Amino acid sequence: MLVFERGREGRGLSLIPACDVELVMPEKSDKRKRALHLPELSESELCRHYTDLAKECYGVNDGFYPLGSCTMKYNPKINEDMAALPEFTEIHPLQPEHTVQGCLEVMKTAEEYLCEITGMKRMTFQPAAGAHGEFTGLLLIKAYHDSRGDKKRTKIIIPDSAHGTNPASAVMAGYSVVSIPSGEDGCVDLEKLREAAGDDVAGLMLTNPNTVGLFDKNILEITKIIHECGGQCYYDGANLNAVMGMVRPGDMGFDVIHLNLHKTFSTPHGGGGPGSGPVGCKEHLAEFLPSILVERGEKLSFVKPRNSIGEIKSFYGNFLIVVRALTYLMTLGREGVPQVSGNAVLNANYMMHKLKDCYTIAYDGVCMHEFVMSLSDLKKKSGVSAMDIAKGLLDNGIHPPTMYFPLIVDEALMVEPTETESKETLDEVIAVFKKLYKTAERDAGELHAAPVHTPVTRLDEVGAARHPVLKYEFSK
Amino acid sequence: MGSYIPGTEREQKEMLAETGFDSMEELFRHIPEEVKINGELKIPSGMTELEVREKMRRIAGRNRVFSVCFRGAGAYRHFIPSVVKSVISKENFLTAYTPYQAEISQGILQSIFEYQTMICELTGMDASNASVYDGASAVAESIAMCCERKRKKALVSGAVNPYILETVKTYCSGSGTELVIIPEKDGVTDRKALEDMIDEMTACVCVQHPNYYGNMEEAGTIGEIAHGVGAKYIMSVNPISLGVVKTPGEYGADIAVGDGQPLGLSLAFGGPYLGFMACVSKMTRKLPGRIVGQTVDKNGKTGYVLTLQAREQHIRREKASSNVCSNQALCALAAGVYLSAVGSGGLKNIAVQCMSKAHYMAKLLEEAGCTIENKGSFFHEFVTVSDMPAEKILADLEAEGILGGYPLDEYRVLWCCTEMNRKEDMDRAAHIVRRCGKC
């Protein structure tokens, strides 16, 4: 039942005292005439409504959540407590500097830790999400070339295995996209890269480990090829969980990076956001960073980068997300950070190893924090698709892996277990995966019909897009 | 050191052995040695929960919370009902990913559908997306919605919040959109100047209403001017004002955007906030980001899905209408709970109180020796100018635990009142300002 269908006219909460000054209303020409339909509910009805909705959601504490490339790790509770401190939540973004020293300390410390982890010089927290960070990073690259009078660089090279946000961001930053095919091993094809590299290339966007879960061992050669043609190297930090504390993007030759605090640094995804996509860069790009940076001195202060690209949103980013990420980093410390990547990689390899005899692994070998299976053979054999297996997992209380991504793998399921899962959980899940494979061979129809134990069964997506119903219609 | 890894050392060894590795290091053996970190990271050692809590509390303690606040300028202190926090703390909402798997995400999808409905109700528009990053990026995205091959010029009022203007500049520099700023006159968009500037190449005209100075724009007339040359009309609005002020729909806007922070989100040093975006039905397929639609399942049961995805980056890649992927879903949920808690009457009451208190405060400051710059009608913000330096006024207020208005320059201050400002606090603040003028 929709919230609009609950309650009765005249119900409501008792929230605000009567106005204690003379009432003033807009002039007639600016006064709202259109009726305003908002719910009228008692507090108890309101709470019951959202509790009902919460029951039909799946969070990281509901079970295994191996959504590849999304790093659905456990979200620590202390992070939430720290982000709820009134000394953070009640601070106006435009308060005088000397009254917000704590906020500046959070931003500065987080910058210092994350720069050390990534091998970058400076970092901005203004980008609100990964894609926002990509856009920002590309504008830094553009500003850098422009500052050198180098205006002929119009292209960004992006492997065909990349996230869709990469090419979309490149276009928003005014670039055209050169998509290069991956080699047979799923990594960058060096020959193709050399062919694409030239004096019209502004830069390369790359995820390493890449989206098939492999660390590109030619990484130093890759960044060298780009640098030799005068381009800049952009690191998409979506997969940093695989290598943090072990390898730094800065040491791989990257000039600018974005991180996803909502992936690698344990902040919750909120059903789609808010995230945080800080952008770090090497010294030569720092003068172009957006908005403000925090400097240490007698006291902490805001400083505008000399040749800043400007603002990319209001204020300083999703600050409370940064508080959570810093809390996480303080908890882990220098010993804990590499243990995260180590165990993330171990869990992925363990799962891959145990599923190998059943499912086809798209790229065999040692994987990093995630691996990709292709259900192409199974589909040919039984008619059961990656989608069907995913829906079968739902009936077993497991969130499916990322489906049909990366695009270079047919019938792909991309599995990222993360380091916060125990061996028992992995063993249980492996058993379910195998059971579903057997079901597929025996009775494809059962999986075509899945899920059946969820609040709704498969939904008509085609109908939804063809005849969009995007809001509730109130009866006149 | 704290850790969230369940595996014990013994289990690690077992798993390594079963997988065919001798050690954890071997898992990383294929990575070239020359890129590996030599030694340890130079960050402090990890800490227990007790230690982390103490350390973060100490850091937080270096901030000052003002119990009385007259500062807005894009971030507003409003009353937040307890139910808001209660709902958005539920971990099924908090920790879930984007609802790609609709069958187990009906709660989130329905909450977004309800949010979209409420945003349409507030703005008088036909369709809303599931949110973007904030009000400023919403304006920037809305301009991209209007640009076409032959129309690549955006006219944006100089009387919008500076963060909006700066954000739009950055986005336009990326996309190659020509941005022209319409000058302001007497604190509002200069209509005459707009008429001179607009032409057939204009993709859109954008104003903020009420604008940065709290002033009401000639919002209907500006829309007519935009439509006169076939340009789209974008209005950036404060959602609280929509309790009493005409909707963008009533003014003739094609797109309504704004920052949803006043709807149940704390000030939080600037974020996370919420960008809302709504439009007339013929522009629906140009909206960026997630959109939820109603449909039915195989058994005919009503359900909700992410829809119109052919616009989005994961399908269209470089041809997508925007790169937006993550949005501000939990903030949209907060806004939905907030609007359900206050209801229609409550929102109207809050809007009226904001406006009434701002006018009361303006009168007090006038009596205290300031001049009110706003010539016409204003909502909950206004500008004072006086011969007392803004810095001095604000320092005197700060000494008494009051966060005064936002200094626009040496002598001008932008003040804001909401339902949170009690009469006695306004009287006290005005008294301090008056005293400041006398010394």
Side-chain angles (χ1 to χ4, degrees):
Chain A
M1 192 191 284
L2 288 166
V3 70
F4 311 106
E5 297 163 323
R6 291 188 186 243
R8 291 286 180 276
E9 201 180 324
R11 282 187 197 156
L13 283 67
S14 169
L15 300 172
I16 313 280
C19 195
D20 50 7
V21 301
E22 192 191 336
L23 294 187
V24 179
M25 295 287 278
E27 285 168 32
K28 203 169 154 222
S29 57
D30 286 320
K31 211 163 158 183
R32 179 177 183 126
K33 291 181 193 71
R34 189 186 197 278
L36 175 62
H37 301 283
L38 291 175
E40 296 188 47
L41 303 170
S42 65
E43 184 165 324
S44 57
E45 286 173 297
L46 181 58
C47 287
R48 200 162 281 172
H49 175 70
Y50 285 104
T51 297
D52 282 351
L53 292 188
K55 283 178 196 156
E56 298 192 351
C57 299
Y58 190 97
V60 291
N61 295 343
D62 286 308
F64 193 54
Y65 219 128
L67 203 53
S69 238
C70 301
T71 315
M72 296 301 287
K73 61 173 72 179
Y74 174 68
N75 307 140
K77 296 298 177 191
I78 185 184
N79 297 0
E80 299 307 311
D81 279 355
M82 296 304 97
L85 290 174
E87 292 87 354
F88 289 136
T89 61
E90 296 299 310
I91 303 300
H92 194 287
L94 299 174
Q95 278 187 210
E97 222 165 61
H98 67 271
T99 67
V100 296
Q101 290 290 301
C103 291
L104 299 192
E105 182 68 49
V106 167
M107 291 174 71
K108 190 66 201 174
T109 309
E111 182 190 358
E112 287 163 352
Y113 290 5
L114 292 170
C115 279
E116 168 63 16
I117 288 169
T118 56
M120 293 291 134
K121 181 78 181 169
R122 296 307 304 259
M123 190 168 284
T124 173
F125 291 98
Q126 201 178 38
H132 208 204
E134 292 172 18
F135 175 58
T136 306
L138 290 166
L139 290 180
L140 297 186
I141 291 176
K142 196 175 194 179
Y144 169 76
H145 291 309
D146 282 353
S147 76
R148 294 153 52 92
D150 191 351
K151 310 254 181 192
K152 59 188 179 300
R153 299 185 181 271
T154 55
K155 293 177 181 161
I156 293 284
I157 301 175
I158 301 172
D160 58 359
S161 60
H163 300 115
T165 49
N166 289 183
S169 300
V171 169
M172 279 177 73
Y175 287 114
S176 58
V177 175
V178 181
S179 175
I180 53 164
S182 306
E184 265 173 35
D185 59 354
C187 294
V188 173
D189 183 328
L190 289 179
E191 279 318 303
K192 292 274 182 341
L193 182 67
R194 282 198 189 95
E195 280 167 32
D199 64 2
D200 57 350
V201 168
L204 163 81
M205 294 181 89
L206 199 67
T207 312
N208 193 24
N210 60 20
T211 56
V212 299
L214 301 181
F215 189 91
D216 204 318
K217 55 190 184 309
N218 296 321
I219 190 63
L220 288 174
E221 183 61 23
I222 292 167
T223 51
K224 192 171 149 214
I225 291 170
I226 296 300
H227 284 147
E228 279 177 358
C229 83
Q232 294 281 294
C233 298
Y234 183 96
Y235 181 85
D236 176 334
N239 294 344
L240 188 73
N241 208 50
V243 292
M244 70 169 172
M246 304 281 182
V247 189
R248 311 194 306 169
D251 300 335
M252 298 182 213
F254 288 96
D255 304 288
V256 51
I257 64 158
H258 85 258
L259 301 175
N260 299 80
L261 299 187
H262 48 290
K263 295 180 181 176
T264 320
F265 298 96
S266 83
T267 76
H269 283 74
S276 174
V279 167
C281 66
K282 296 244 174 96
E283 179 89 57
H284 65 284
L285 296 176
E287 64 183 282
F288 307 111
L289 282 167
S291 198
I292 45 81
L293 290 169
V294 181
E295 298 288 358
R296 284 197 193 279
E298 213 166 285
K299 62 182 186 63
L300 292 149
S301 57
F302 278 144
V303 175
K304 209 157 176 50
R306 198 153 34 103
N307 291 310
S308 174
I309 57 164
E311 309 290 336
I312 52 153
K313 71 183 285 297
S314 294
F315 309 119
Y316 328 114
N318 284 340
F319 174 74
L320 294 182
I321 306 297
V322 182
V323 171
R324 289 173 171 93
L326 178 61
T327 305
Y328 178 66
L329 276 176
M330 283 178 170
T331 306
L332 296 187
R334 61 172 174 260
E335 313 85 349
V337 170
Q339 288 190 7
V340 165
S341 46
N343 284 279
V345 172
L346 175 61
N347 279 357
N349 275 288
Y350 180 76
M351 255 191 99
M352 182 174 77
H353 182 78
K354 293 266 174 169
L355 288 173
K356 195 142 69 170
D357 56 347
C358 205
Y359 290 85
T360 310
I361 307 300
Y363 298 93
D364 218 352
V366 182
C367 72
M368 298 299 287
H369 67 309
E370 65 191 1
F371 61 94
V372 179
M373 305 191 293
S374 170
L375 279 73
S376 189
D377 292 344
L378 181 67
K379 193 176 175 192
K380 269 180 224 138
K381 201 161 64 177
S382 67
V384 168
S385 64
M387 170 81 88
D388 294 329
I389 294 288
K391 299 304 179 191
L393 287 166
L394 292 179
D395 272 338
N396 286 275
I398 295 168
H399 196 290
T402 296
M403 310 184 298
Y404 299 101
F405 185 82
L407 306 178
I408 56 172
V409 177
D410 201 25
E411 292 293 322
L413 284 180
M414 184 193 214
V415 186
E416 181 181 7
T418 84
E419 75 283 4
T420 58
E421 297 298 339
S422 67
K423 181 169 178 293
E424 306 91 277
T425 304
L426 299 182
D427 286 337
E428 281 165 26
V429 171
I430 289 161
V432 172
F433 266 99
K434 290 189 166 178
K435 183 184 81 179
L436 291 175
Y437 195 91
K438 289 212 178 88
T439 308
E441 288 177 318
R442 193 191 67 232
D443 180 8
E446 190 182 322
L447 287 170
H448 293 320
V452 292
H453 301 307
T454 45
V456 290
T457 57
R458 286 192 210 190
L459 291 144
D460 180 4
E461 296 193 8
V462 175
R466 199 165 288 161
H467 307 287
V469 178
L470 309 179
K471 65 181 170 75
Y472 175 74
E473 294 300 335
F474 297 91
S475 50
K476 292 277 150 52
Chain B
M1 179 195 86
S3 162
Y4 300 102
I5 297 163
T8 60
E9 215 166 299
R10 190 170 144 191
E11 282 173 310
Q12 271 184 6
K13 283 204 180 111
E14 273 174 38
M15 289 167 75
L16 283 166
E18 280 194 60
T19 319
F21 294 98
D22 293 334
S23 66
M24 293 296 274
E25 288 72 40
E26 218 187 322
L27 290 167
F28 293 86
R29 203 176 55 191
H30 60 293
I31 296 182
E33 281 305 318
E34 57 267 43
V35 295
K36 281 191 194 162
I37 293 174
N38 196 2
E40 279 191 317
L41 289 170
K42 291 178 196 66
I43 64 172
S45 259
M47 291 188 282
T48 61
E49 182 165 330
L50 176 67
E51 293 166 301
V52 172
R53 189 176 297 225
E54 280 177 354
K55 173 133 201 202
M56 281 307 269
R57 284 226 166 108
R58 258 200 316 276
I59 293 175
R62 293 171 61 191
N63 289 329
R64 178 161 183 199
V65 176
F66 290 92
S67 56
V68 180
C69 168
F70 292 101
R71 197 162 288 194
Y76 303 97
R77 182 179 281 177
H78 286 283
F79 179 72
I80 303 177
S82 297
V83 290
V84 174
K85 184 164 179 225
S86 159
V87 171
I88 64 170
S89 305
K90 287 178 191 290
E91 59 186 20
N92 316 45
F93 290 131
L94 178 70
T95 67
Y97 196 73
T98 302
Y100 289 137
Q101 295 292 341
E103 296 90 341
I104 52 165
S105 310
Q106 285 300 298
I108 287 175
L109 288 160
Q110 184 180 325
S111 80
I112 297 172
F113 184 79
E114 293 174 353
Y115 160 86
Q116 289 174 184
T117 304
M118 291 183 207
I119 293 298
C120 289
E121 267 304 302
L122 280 182
T123 57
M125 293 280 123
D126 302 320
S128 157
N129 71 6
S131 76
V132 290
Y133 311 132
D134 72 346
S137 54
V139 173
E141 290 278 0
S142 70
I143 288 172
M145 284 172 69
C146 301
C147 290
E148 295 167 12
R149 206 163 45 84
K150 287 186 176 167
R151 291 177 183 266
K152 281 209 153 191
K153 185 161 83 177
L155 300 186
V156 178
S157 165
V160 303
N161 185 298
Y163 268 110
I164 295 180
L165 203 54
E166 291 303 315
T167 303
V168 167
K169 269 186 202 164
T170 311
Y171 273 69
C172 285
S173 80
S175 60
T177 305
E178 186 192 348
L179 171 66
V180 184
I181 295 161
I182 315 162
E184 56 172 83
K185 195 180 168 196
D186 298 331
V188 293
T189 309
D190 186 341
R191 179 166 49 85
K192 288 252 157 45
L194 168 64
E195 282 169 338
D196 292 342
M197 298 161 93
I198 199 165
D199 59 27
E200 307 286 326
M201 306 286 282
T202 305
C204 58
V205 175
C206 173
V207 298
Q208 181 182 333
H209 178 77
N211 69 21
Y212 183 52
Y213 311 109
N215 289 323
M216 306 299 270
E217 293 280 0
E218 293 176 272
T221 313
I222 292 171
E224 284 165 21
I225 295 170
H227 290 151
V229 297
K232 302 292 184 207
Y233 182 34
I234 302 167
M235 288 183 73
S236 172
V237 290
N238 179 319
I240 296 286
S241 76
L242 298 176
V244 285
V245 175
K246 241 187 203 178
T247 63
E250 288 169 291
Y251 285 120
D254 300 289
I255 306 176
V257 294
D259 203 306
Q261 179 270 329
L263 306 175
L265 299 170
S266 59
L267 289 168
F269 199 51
Y273 292 173
L274 159 69
F276 63 85
M277 297 188 76
C279 65
V280 292
S281 58
K282 62 176 185 288
M283 296 191 79
T284 304
R285 283 169 202 267
K286 298 201 169 218
L287 278 170
R290 315 288 186 200
I291 297 176
V292 170
Q294 194 180 56
T295 186
V296 289
D297 76 357
K298 287 211 278 198
N299 304 323
K301 189 177 174 191
T302 298
Y304 303 89
V305 289
L306 293 173
T307 194
L308 305 178
Q309 296 192 67
R311 304 162 294 115
E312 290 189 67
Q313 46 77 27
H314 60 288
I315 311 282
R316 288 290 290 275
R317 300 177 76 86
E318 65 265 31
K319 294 188 185 67
S321 57
S322 160
N323 70 344
V324 170
C325 183
S326 285
N327 54 28
Q328 303 287 111
L330 197 71
C331 304
L333 176 64
V337 181
Y338 175 86
L339 289 169
S340 300
V342 301
S344 318
L347 189 72
K348 185 179 172 187
N349 176 32
I350 291 163
V352 171
Q353 291 215 17
C354 286
M355 187 158 182
S356 305
K357 290 182 182 229
H359 282 77
Y360 178 78
M361 184 69 180
K363 197 180 81 194
L364 291 184
L365 290 173
E366 204 164 20
E367 286 163 9
C370 303
T371 306
I372 308 299
E373 271 200 345
N374 306 58
K375 300 265 187 285
S377 184
F378 60 91
F379 181 56
H380 72 339
E381 290 181 278
F382 58 92
V383 177
T384 57
V385 59
S386 78
D387 41 17
M388 298 171 270
E391 205 182 320
K392 170 86 171 79
I393 296 176
L394 298 173
D396 283 11
L397 288 168
E398 193 185 311
E400 307 267 350
I402 298 171
L403 181 63
Y406 182 63
L408 294 179
D409 55 38
E410 213 178 326
Y411 296 102
R412 290 161 73 233
V413 178
L414 176 64
W415 302 82
C416 175
C417 291
T418 70
E419 76 283 2
M420 300 294 277
N421 299 98
R422 296 176 306 178
K423 179 173 177 294
E424 61 199 83
D425 294 327
M426 295 191 278
D427 292 340
R428 187 161 68 90
H431 179 74
I432 295 165
V433 174
R434 179 192 296 263
R435 198 179 59 198
C436 170
K438 281 186 180 147
C439 59

